Amino acid sequence: MRSIFSAAPLLGALALSGCTSIERIHQNMNSSEATDAKARQQIQKLTSPSPVLREAARQWVNPTPMMDRAAIKKATPPCIAKRFNFSYNIKN
């Protein structure tokens, strides 16, 4: 009878330590299930057909100006200009 009471604290400590590891296992399982669900949503988004063009709520204007003829003249080497008959008589 005395040995049962002396072993009781040891058995209690083992039972409590087992509960924390089981809780940690459940937390890891819940975390992996949430990650799995998120990954499945991303895969479904990638595999579902989506329109190539999207309608914007407002008009978009490109702030970068297009190259003007003077800039093209400066960027084009003379050998290419002669080959493709670029005119160097460009007025701005």
Side-chain angles (χ1 to χ4, degrees):
M1 186 80 139
R2 191 170 196 198
S3 64
I4 293 174
F5 290 118
S6 63
L10 181 62
L11 291 174
L14 286 174
L16 290 176
S17 67
C19 290
T20 57
S21 63
I22 290 173
E23 288 176 5
R24 198 171 326 130
I25 290 170
H26 284 299
Q27 288 175 350
N28 287 340
M29 286 177 58
N30 290 340
S31 174
S32 65
E33 287 174 356
T35 305
D36 179 55
K38 190 174 183 179
R40 288 182 190 275
Q41 286 177 348
Q42 293 294 327
I43 290 172
Q44 187 174 4
K45 281 183 185 178
L46 291 174
T47 56
S48 64
S50 61
V52 177
L53 296 176
R54 224 176 5 170
E55 190 170 335
R58 59 184 188 162
Q59 184 178 2
W60 182 80
V61 177
N62 188 358
T64 307
M66 297 174 61
M67 289 183 73
D68 60 350
R69 291 182 182 211
I72 294 172
K73 177 183 172 187
K74 289 178 186 176
T76 308
C79 60
I80 294 176
K82 287 179 185 176
R83 183 174 179 190
F84 292 104
N85 296 325
F86 286 163
S87 174
Y88 278 99
N89 300 329
I90 299 173
K91 297 178 182 177
N92 288 334

